[in-house]
Amino acid sequence: CELFVYGPGFTYFNSSDTLEEVLAKGSGDFDCIITGHSWLSEKNGQPTYGVNLDLRASRIPVVGILNKEYNCLDEKLAYFSSNNFVLLFSHHSDIERLSSKYGLRTIFWPFAVDDDRVLKSSCSRPVDICFSGILQNIHAGSAHTSSRRQVMNKLFYCLGDLPIMKRKEYATRTIHWNASPSISTRTDKLIGYRTSRLFFPRYGYHLHSLNEYFELLGGSKIVINTLSPFDLIGPRNFETMASGGLLLCEQSDMYKCIFPSSTYATYKPDLSNFNETVDSFLNNELARDRIAQAGKLFVLAKHKWSDRATTMLKEIASVI
């Protein structure tokens, strides 16, 4: 397709543009408008708009991508409905039920992986257990469980959100734990976290570059993932599998909406078998690699962002 991208950051963007002025900046007649992930954000419990354009009177069909379903969901769905969107893509597997009262045509459109980022060459996997991400999303309405914190406390002795030392069960294991603390950037707790990190820097959070992140995944035997807020299957699940690491997550029917059971490993939500599960896979390379390779082949065959683009174009063609 021919794509004209418009928004803040582009030299031709003007916040005072009308919709017709935006379309006139393009290179021809358009079949549709697609609003991307950042079209709607959240502030003070209400959705805000990246570009203030009136889409209700658009002469061509408008398609949207819903992002952060755990924040302001009803308000966002009401926006898409009142602005006459003909199609809405969502990363939530239950979007059809969630949006039913708004009369929207919705498509379950899972996250995916940019396979160009994945390490192509085979490499050793010196890291036994890996986690990198937000410890727990505590923003209002996020509905994010404390599963990641519970896993952290299984692996480490902790001071609040900061791991201090590996527990004796994991003393001989190589662990890369990089968890962003689940506290506001302006709280006293964050000051305490930063102070504690000065004395216990080993597992303190730092932001990885994309290259560092994918090198980490490519060098890890087991990568721990849990459901994102509102039971979303986040991008890291796909990135882990495409990188050839074993995806280890809590038991949940949500994963079955996307992945065959043969492509990932699970532990009980109460973590009663967590240590046993981790040990069994670290001690059995053949079993670990069999599942990890099945996951890698599955994701690279069906869950690349190029696959999502193909799906999107087909679905748009069916409605316009």
Side-chain angles (χ1 to χ4, degrees), residues 131-137 144-156 158 161 163 177-180 182 224-230 232-237 248 250 255 267 269 271 274:
F131 174 81
S132 184
I134 298 173
L135 189 59
Q136 184 179 9
N137 191 320
H144 197 194
T145 71
S146 61
S147 179
R148 298 173 187 178
R149 176 178 282 105
Q150 293 171 32
V151 169
M152 181 180 71
N153 281 282
K154 272 283 188 182
L155 299 173
F156 299 98
C158 301
D161 284 353
W177 187 268
N178 187 47
S180 174
S182 56
I224 295 171
N225 285 260
T226 72
L227 293 170
S228 294
F230 207 40
L232 288 163
I233 307 296
R236 189 171 55 247
N237 294 271
L248 180 62
E250 78 270 46
Y255 292 100
Y267 55 85
L271 276 71
F274 180 82

Side-chain angles (χ1 to χ4, degrees), residues 21-219:
E21 288 171 335
V22 172
L23 296 176
K25 293 181 179 184
S27 57
D29 293 331
F30 294 103
D31 296 303
C32 71
I33 296 169
I34 304 173
T35 61
H37 283 88
S38 59
W39 184 256
L40 295 182
S41 56
E42 308 80 25
K43 186 176 182 180
N44 299 324
Q46 292 294 323
T48 58
Y49 315 114
V51 181
N52 188 25
L53 293 175
D54 185 0
L55 299 175
R56 289 172 295 181
S58 174
R59 55 185 171 80
I60 56 177
V62 185
V63 173
I65 300 174
L66 179 59
N67 193 31
K68 295 184 179 179
E69 288 87 342
Y70 53 85
N71 267 342
C72 308
L73 179 61
D74 281 326
E75 292 84 355
K76 290 176 179 176
L77 292 173
Y79 167 83
F80 288 118
S81 178
S82 64
N83 281 273
N84 303 321
F85 279 63
V86 299
L87 193 59
L88 181 63
F89 292 87
S90 169
H91 303 302
H92 200 289
S93 60
D94 205 17
I95 186 58
E96 186 173 352
R97 180 186 62 83
L98 294 170
S99 63
S100 58
K101 68 179 181 180
Y102 293 97
L104 291 162
R105 178 168 176 173
T106 58
I107 300 293
F108 172 41
W109 199 61
F111 284 106
V113 63
D114 181 356
D115 56 314
D116 288 336
R117 293 282 184 182
V118 176
L119 294 184
K120 297 297 189 295
S121 59
S122 60
C123 61
S124 62
R125 295 185 181 272
V127 177
D128 293 321
I129 306 165
C130 167
F131 174 81
S132 184
I134 298 173
L135 189 59
Q136 184 179 9
N137 191 320
I138 60 172
H139 291 96
S142 66
H144 197 194
T145 71
S146 61
S147 179
R148 298 173 187 178
R149 176 178 282 105
Q150 293 171 32
V151 169
M152 181 180 71
N153 281 282
K154 272 283 188 182
L155 299 173
F156 299 98
Y157 296 103
C158 301
L159 183 61
D161 284 353
L162 180 67
I164 302 301
M165 181 175 66
K166 288 183 286 188
R167 292 186 180 273
K168 63 179 181 180
E169 298 93 332
Y170 295 94
T172 61
R173 303 299 190 184
T174 303
I175 303 176
H176 184 103
W177 187 268
N178 187 47
S180 174
S182 56
I183 44 185
S184 169
T185 56
R186 292 184 176 87
T187 65
D188 292 337
K189 287 184 179 180
L190 182 58
I191 296 173
Y193 175 89
R194 289 173 172 168
T195 302
S196 299
R197 194 173 63 178
L198 293 175
F199 295 97
F200 305 99
R202 184 169 185 179
Y203 301 107
Y205 175 73
H206 66 278
L207 183 65
H208 290 307
S209 69
L210 276 175
N211 287 339
E212 290 173 335
Y213 170 69
F214 278 99
E215 287 175 2
L216 173 63
L217 295 183

